Amino acid sequence: MLRAMDFTDTQLHRYARHIILPEVGGIGQETLLRSRVLVVGAGGLGSPLLLYLAAAGVGTLGIVDDDVVDLSNLQRQVIHDGSTLGHPKVDSAAARIAALNPDVRVETHRVRLTRDNAADLIGRYDLVADGSDNFATRFLLNDACFFARRPLVSAAMLRFDGQVSTFKAHLGGANPCYRCLFREPPPRGMVPSCSEGGVLGALAGLVGTLQATEVLKELLGIGESLSGSLLMVDALNAAYQRITVKPDPECPLCGHHPTITDLSIH
Ligand SMILES: [Zn+2]
Protein backbone atom coordinates (compact mmCIF):
# COMPACT_ATOMS: atom_id res chain seq x y z
CA MET A 1 0.00 0.00 0.00
CA LEU A 2 1.37 3.40 -1.01
CA ARG A 3 1.37 6.41 1.26
CA ALA A 4 1.33 10.12 0.54
CA MET A 5 5.09 10.20 1.16
CA ASP A 6 5.57 8.48 -2.21
CA PHE A 7 4.54 11.71 -3.99
CA THR A 8 7.01 14.30 -5.12
CA ASP A 9 6.77 17.74 -3.45
CA THR A 10 5.31 19.09 -6.69
CA GLN A 11 2.61 16.41 -6.68
CA LEU A 12 1.77 17.01 -3.02
CA HIS A 13 1.32 20.67 -3.92
CA ARG A 14 -0.63 20.03 -7.14
CA TYR A 15 -3.06 17.55 -5.61
CA ALA A 16 -3.31 19.14 -2.14
CA ARG A 17 -7.09 19.79 -2.43
CA HIS A 18 -7.67 16.13 -3.32
CA ILE A 19 -5.33 14.66 -0.74
CA ILE A 20 -6.98 16.63 2.06
CA LEU A 21 -10.36 15.05 1.23
CA PRO A 22 -10.83 12.00 3.50
CA GLU A 23 -12.63 10.20 0.62
CA VAL A 24 -9.60 10.64 -1.66
CA GLY A 25 -6.46 11.10 0.44
CA GLY A 26 -3.00 9.99 -0.63
CA ILE A 27 -4.19 6.48 -1.44
CA GLY A 28 -6.97 7.75 -3.69
CA GLN A 29 -4.67 10.16 -5.48
CA GLU A 30 -2.21 7.34 -6.04
CA THR A 31 -5.10 5.28 -7.47
CA LEU A 32 -5.96 8.08 -9.90
CA LEU A 33 -2.33 8.39 -11.02
CA ARG A 34 -2.24 4.65 -11.74
CA SER A 35 -5.60 4.63 -13.56
CA ARG A 36 -6.09 4.24 -17.29
CA VAL A 37 -9.24 5.78 -18.78
CA LEU A 38 -10.35 5.68 -22.41
CA VAL A 39 -12.33 8.72 -23.55
CA VAL A 40 -14.23 8.18 -26.79
CA GLY A 41 -14.74 11.49 -28.59
CA ALA A 42 -12.73 14.68 -28.01
CA GLY A 43 -15.73 16.92 -28.66
CA GLY A 44 -18.32 18.68 -26.52
CA LEU A 45 -18.47 16.07 -23.75
CA GLY A 46 -14.88 14.91 -24.25
CA SER A 47 -13.52 18.42 -23.65
CA PRO A 48 -14.57 18.84 -19.99
CA LEU A 49 -14.08 15.12 -19.42
CA LEU A 50 -10.47 15.19 -20.58
CA LEU A 51 -9.66 18.51 -18.91
CA TYR A 52 -10.99 17.49 -15.49
CA LEU A 53 -9.58 13.96 -15.62
CA ALA A 54 -6.19 15.38 -16.60
CA ALA A 55 -6.34 18.06 -13.90
CA ALA A 56 -7.29 15.34 -11.39
CA GLY A 57 -4.16 13.39 -12.26
CA VAL A 58 -5.67 10.36 -13.97
CA GLY A 59 -2.34 8.90 -15.03
CA THR A 60 -3.15 7.62 -18.51
CA LEU A 61 -5.81 9.02 -20.81
CA GLY A 62 -6.58 7.30 -24.10
CA ILE A 63 -8.40 9.49 -26.62
CA VAL A 64 -10.32 8.08 -29.59
CA ASP A 65 -11.34 10.56 -32.30
CA ASP A 66 -10.77 10.61 -36.05
CA ASP A 67 -11.95 14.20 -36.62
CA VAL A 68 -10.16 17.54 -37.03
CA VAL A 69 -10.93 20.79 -35.17
CA ASP A 70 -13.49 22.95 -36.99
CA LEU A 71 -14.49 26.53 -36.20
CA SER A 72 -18.05 25.37 -35.39
CA ASN A 73 -16.61 23.15 -32.62
CA LEU A 74 -15.25 26.07 -30.56
CA GLN A 75 -18.76 27.10 -29.36
CA ARG A 76 -18.53 24.19 -26.84
CA GLN A 77 -15.39 22.07 -27.33
CA VAL A 78 -13.26 24.05 -24.88
CA ILE A 79 -10.20 21.78 -24.99
CA HIS A 80 -9.50 23.10 -28.51
CA ASP A 81 -8.85 26.70 -29.55
CA GLY A 82 -8.30 28.87 -32.59
CA SER A 83 -4.65 27.87 -32.87
CA THR A 84 -5.52 24.21 -33.55
CA LEU A 85 -8.16 24.68 -36.27
CA GLY A 86 -7.68 21.95 -38.87
CA HIS A 87 -5.49 19.86 -36.53
CA PRO A 88 -6.53 16.35 -35.49
CA LYS A 89 -8.63 16.64 -32.32
CA VAL A 90 -6.56 13.96 -30.59
CA ASP A 91 -3.39 16.04 -31.12
CA SER A 92 -5.05 19.31 -30.11
CA ALA A 93 -6.39 17.68 -26.92
CA ALA A 94 -3.06 15.99 -26.16
CA ALA A 95 -1.19 19.31 -26.40
CA ARG A 96 -3.64 21.02 -24.03
CA ILE A 97 -3.39 18.15 -21.53
CA ALA A 98 0.42 18.23 -21.67
CA ALA A 99 0.32 21.94 -20.82
CA LEU A 100 -2.16 21.32 -17.98
CA ASN A 101 -0.58 18.36 -16.22
CA PRO A 102 2.72 16.69 -17.14
CA ASP A 103 1.85 13.75 -14.83
CA VAL A 104 -0.69 12.55 -17.43
CA ARG A 105 0.34 10.27 -20.26
CA VAL A 106 -1.89 10.63 -23.31
CA GLU A 107 -2.39 7.81 -25.79
CA THR A 108 -3.95 9.13 -28.99
CA HIS A 109 -6.04 6.86 -31.22
CA ARG A 110 -6.94 8.77 -34.39
CA VAL A 111 -9.47 6.20 -35.51
CA ARG A 112 -13.20 5.69 -35.55
CA LEU A 113 -14.32 3.07 -33.04
CA THR A 114 -15.45 -0.05 -34.93
CA ARG A 115 -16.37 -3.61 -34.03
CA ASP A 116 -12.90 -4.60 -35.28
CA ASN A 117 -10.86 -2.32 -32.99
CA ALA A 118 -13.22 -1.82 -30.01
CA ALA A 119 -12.27 -4.91 -27.98
CA ASP A 120 -8.53 -4.30 -28.33
CA LEU A 121 -8.77 -0.60 -27.46
CA ILE A 122 -11.09 -1.07 -24.49
CA GLY A 123 -9.08 -3.99 -23.12
CA ARG A 124 -6.11 -1.68 -22.55
CA TYR A 125 -8.00 0.57 -20.11
CA ASP A 126 -9.63 0.29 -16.67
CA LEU A 127 -12.74 2.31 -17.53
CA VAL A 128 -14.36 3.87 -20.59
CA ALA A 129 -16.10 7.24 -20.83
CA ASP A 130 -18.39 7.70 -23.81
CA GLY A 131 -18.37 11.23 -25.17
CA SER A 132 -19.40 10.19 -28.66
CA ASP A 133 -22.17 11.87 -30.62
CA ASN A 134 -23.93 8.95 -32.31
CA PHE A 135 -26.00 5.91 -31.45
CA ALA A 136 -23.86 3.43 -33.38
CA THR A 137 -20.83 4.19 -31.18
CA ARG A 138 -22.96 4.29 -28.01
CA PHE A 139 -24.34 0.78 -28.59
CA LEU A 140 -20.99 -0.59 -29.75
CA LEU A 141 -19.32 0.75 -26.58
CA ASN A 142 -22.04 -0.72 -24.39
CA ASP A 143 -21.63 -4.17 -25.89
CA ALA A 144 -17.82 -4.05 -26.07
CA CYS A 145 -17.48 -2.85 -22.46
CA PHE A 146 -19.83 -5.63 -21.30
CA PHE A 147 -17.74 -8.31 -23.02
CA ALA A 148 -14.47 -6.73 -21.84
CA ARG A 149 -15.89 -6.36 -18.28
CA ARG A 150 -15.10 -2.66 -18.11
CA PRO A 151 -17.29 -0.01 -16.45
CA LEU A 152 -18.76 2.49 -18.92
CA VAL A 153 -19.69 6.03 -17.94
CA SER A 154 -22.01 7.21 -20.66
CA ALA A 155 -23.51 10.61 -21.51
CA ALA A 156 -25.47 12.21 -24.28
CA MET A 157 -26.94 15.63 -25.01
CA LEU A 158 -29.07 17.48 -27.53
CA ARG A 159 -30.37 21.06 -27.58
CA PHE A 160 -30.94 21.81 -23.83
CA ASP A 161 -31.19 18.24 -22.53
CA GLY A 162 -28.58 15.82 -21.33
CA GLN A 163 -28.33 12.45 -19.61
CA VAL A 164 -25.62 10.60 -17.74
CA SER A 165 -25.39 7.03 -16.48
CA THR A 166 -22.89 4.33 -15.57
CA PHE A 167 -23.14 0.78 -16.87
CA LYS A 168 -21.54 -2.20 -15.11
CA ALA A 169 -23.84 -5.03 -16.22
CA HIS A 170 -20.89 -7.46 -16.29
CA LEU A 171 -21.06 -7.42 -12.48
CA GLY A 172 -24.65 -8.71 -12.55
CA GLY A 173 -26.95 -7.90 -9.63
CA ALA A 174 -28.83 -4.62 -9.97
CA ASN A 175 -26.52 -3.29 -12.70
CA PRO A 176 -28.28 -2.79 -16.06
CA CYS A 177 -26.65 -2.13 -19.43
CA TYR A 178 -27.52 0.56 -21.96
CA ARG A 179 -29.62 -1.96 -23.90
CA CYS A 180 -31.77 -2.58 -20.82
CA LEU A 181 -32.71 1.09 -21.17
CA PHE A 182 -32.79 1.43 -24.96
CA ARG A 183 -33.04 -1.91 -26.74
CA GLU A 184 -31.53 -0.83 -30.05
CA PRO A 185 -30.53 2.33 -31.93
CA PRO A 186 -33.47 4.45 -33.15
CA PRO A 187 -34.14 4.40 -36.90
CA ARG A 188 -31.70 6.59 -38.79
CA GLY A 189 -32.90 10.21 -38.88
CA MET A 190 -35.42 9.83 -36.05
CA VAL A 191 -33.26 11.53 -33.40
CA PRO A 192 -31.36 14.53 -34.79
CA SER A 193 -27.64 14.95 -34.15
CA CYS A 194 -26.28 18.10 -32.47
CA SER A 195 -25.29 19.41 -35.93
CA GLU A 196 -28.89 18.99 -37.06
CA GLY A 197 -30.74 19.94 -33.87
CA GLY A 198 -28.24 22.25 -32.17
CA VAL A 199 -26.92 22.21 -28.61
CA LEU A 200 -26.35 24.91 -26.00
CA GLY A 201 -22.58 25.12 -25.62
CA ALA A 202 -22.53 25.37 -21.83
CA LEU A 203 -24.66 22.20 -21.57
CA ALA A 204 -21.63 20.27 -22.84
CA GLY A 205 -19.66 21.63 -19.90
CA LEU A 206 -22.43 20.72 -17.47
CA VAL A 207 -23.03 17.16 -18.70
CA GLY A 208 -19.35 16.41 -19.44
CA THR A 209 -18.39 17.58 -15.96
CA LEU A 210 -21.09 15.40 -14.36
CA GLN A 211 -19.61 12.55 -16.39
CA ALA A 212 -16.04 13.36 -15.23
CA THR A 213 -17.28 13.38 -11.62
CA GLU A 214 -18.79 9.90 -12.04
CA VAL A 215 -15.57 8.61 -13.67
CA LEU A 216 -13.53 9.84 -10.69
CA LYS A 217 -16.02 8.28 -8.23
CA GLU A 218 -15.84 4.92 -10.06
CA LEU A 219 -12.03 4.97 -10.08
CA LEU A 220 -11.91 5.87 -6.39
CA GLY A 221 -14.80 3.58 -5.40
CA ILE A 222 -16.50 6.35 -3.44
CA GLY A 223 -20.05 7.61 -3.11
CA GLU A 224 -23.10 6.14 -4.78
CA SER A 225 -22.57 4.87 -8.32
CA LEU A 226 -24.90 6.03 -11.09
CA SER A 227 -25.15 2.38 -12.17
CA GLY A 228 -28.86 1.56 -12.00
CA SER A 229 -29.85 5.21 -12.44
CA LEU A 230 -30.22 7.65 -15.29
CA LEU A 231 -29.56 11.28 -14.41
CA MET A 232 -31.46 13.61 -16.70
CA VAL A 233 -30.61 17.29 -17.07
CA ASP A 234 -33.16 19.79 -18.40
CA ALA A 235 -31.14 22.98 -18.71
CA LEU A 236 -34.01 25.21 -19.84
CA ASN A 237 -35.96 24.49 -16.66
CA ALA A 238 -32.88 24.02 -14.45
CA ALA A 239 -34.34 20.61 -13.55
CA TYR A 240 -32.42 17.46 -12.66
CA GLN A 241 -34.17 14.12 -12.40
CA ARG A 242 -32.70 10.78 -11.39
CA ILE A 243 -34.69 7.73 -12.44
CA THR A 244 -34.07 4.10 -11.51
CA VAL A 245 -33.10 1.71 -14.31
CA LYS A 246 -33.42 -1.98 -13.56
CA PRO A 247 -31.70 -4.79 -15.45
CA ASP A 248 -34.07 -6.25 -18.06
CA PRO A 249 -34.16 -10.08 -17.93
CA GLU A 250 -35.12 -9.95 -21.64
CA CYS A 251 -32.12 -7.75 -22.55
CA PRO A 252 -30.46 -9.21 -25.67
CA LEU A 253 -27.01 -8.53 -24.19
CA CYS A 254 -27.10 -8.99 -20.41
CA GLY A 255 -30.46 -10.80 -19.99
CA HIS A 256 -31.14 -14.45 -19.21
CA HIS A 257 -31.14 -15.56 -22.86
CA PRO A 258 -28.71 -13.27 -24.68
CA THR A 259 -28.83 -13.10 -28.47
CA ILE A 260 -25.85 -10.74 -28.73
CA THR A 261 -22.88 -12.93 -27.88
CA ASP A 262 -20.11 -11.05 -29.67
CA LEU A 263 -19.54 -7.78 -31.57
CA SER A 264 -20.36 -9.22 -35.00
CA ILE A 265 -23.77 -7.51 -35.16
CA HIS A 266 -22.16 -4.06 -35.35
ZN1 LIG B 1 -28.81 -5.20 -20.62
Side-chain angles (χ1 to χ4, degrees):
M1 186 97 40
L2 291 153
R3 290 154 297 160
M5 61 190 294
D6 296 303
F7 294 110
T8 64
D9 287 347
T10 308
Q11 287 177 320
L12 283 173
H13 195 182
R14 178 183 287 273
Y15 304 117
R17 303 296 186 280
H18 266 172
I19 292 169
I20 204 169
L21 289 169
E23 292 82 355
V24 181
I27 303 287
Q29 189 60 53
E30 193 70 47
T31 299
L32 295 180
L33 285 161
R34 288 172 185 275
S35 293
R36 297 175 53 83
V37 172
L38 183 67
V39 174
V40 179
L45 296 168
S47 290
L49 256 173
L50 288 164
L51 287 170
Y52 275 109
L53 297 181
V58 172
T60 305
L61 289 172
I63 312 174
V64 180
D65 201 304
D66 68 343
D67 210 357
V68 296
V69 181
D70 181 80
L71 186 58
S72 66
N73 298 151
L74 301 188
Q75 167 254 18
R76 65 200 175 284
Q77 301 183 15
V78 295
I79 201 167
H80 311 297
D81 61 55
S83 71
T84 59
L85 289 173
H87 295 212
K89 286 187 180 178
V90 289
D91 295 340
S92 169
R96 180 73 187 279
I97 292 169
L100 176 62
N101 188 350
D103 285 347
V104 179
R105 206 158 64 94
V106 174
E107 297 173 351
T108 58
H109 307 285
R110 198 185 167 193
V111 294
R112 205 170 173 78
L113 199 81
T114 67
R115 70 181 185 188
D116 296 319
N117 62 22
D120 175 52
L121 273 172
I122 288 167
R124 295 187 231 167
Y125 296 87
D126 304 318
L127 179 151
V128 178
D130 182 8
S132 72
D133 59 357
N134 64 85
F135 284 100
T137 304
R138 221 165 278 149
F139 278 85
L140 173 59
L141 272 178
N142 177 65
D143 298 357
C145 285
F146 177 76
F147 293 129
R149 303 184 61 80
R150 296 292 191 275
L152 170 65
V153 180
S154 185
M157 58 174 181
L158 180 65
R159 298 192 178 116
F160 299 93
D161 297 310
Q163 49 184 240
V164 188
S165 189
T166 297
F167 299 105
K168 304 192 276 190
H170 58 277
L171 298 178
N175 299 290
C177 83
Y178 186 71
R179 282 186 191 272
C180 295
L181 192 57
F182 305 108
R183 188 58 58 90
E184 52 190 27
R188 193 175 286 270
M190 201 166 117
V191 179
S193 65
C194 285
S195 61
E196 294 160 341
V199 63
L200 188 75
L203 181 70
L206 186 58
V207 177
T209 304
L210 282 169
Q211 201 179 0
T213 306
E214 294 307 315
V215 169
L216 294 172
K217 282 169 56 189
E218 292 293 334
L219 295 175
L220 293 165
I222 60 172
E224 191 177 336
S225 173
L226 258 191
S227 179
S229 298
L230 180 70
L231 181 63
M232 300 195 295
V233 178
D234 169 359
L236 270 188
N237 294 300
Y240 297 75
Q241 196 184 0
R242 183 171 161 172
I243 61 166
T244 299
V245 182
K246 290 196 165 70
D248 180 356
E250 304 299 319
C251 175
L253 181 71
C254 74
H256 294 327
H257 305 288
T259 54
I260 300 167
T261 52
D262 56 47
L263 295 179
S264 63
I265 61 147
H266 292 276

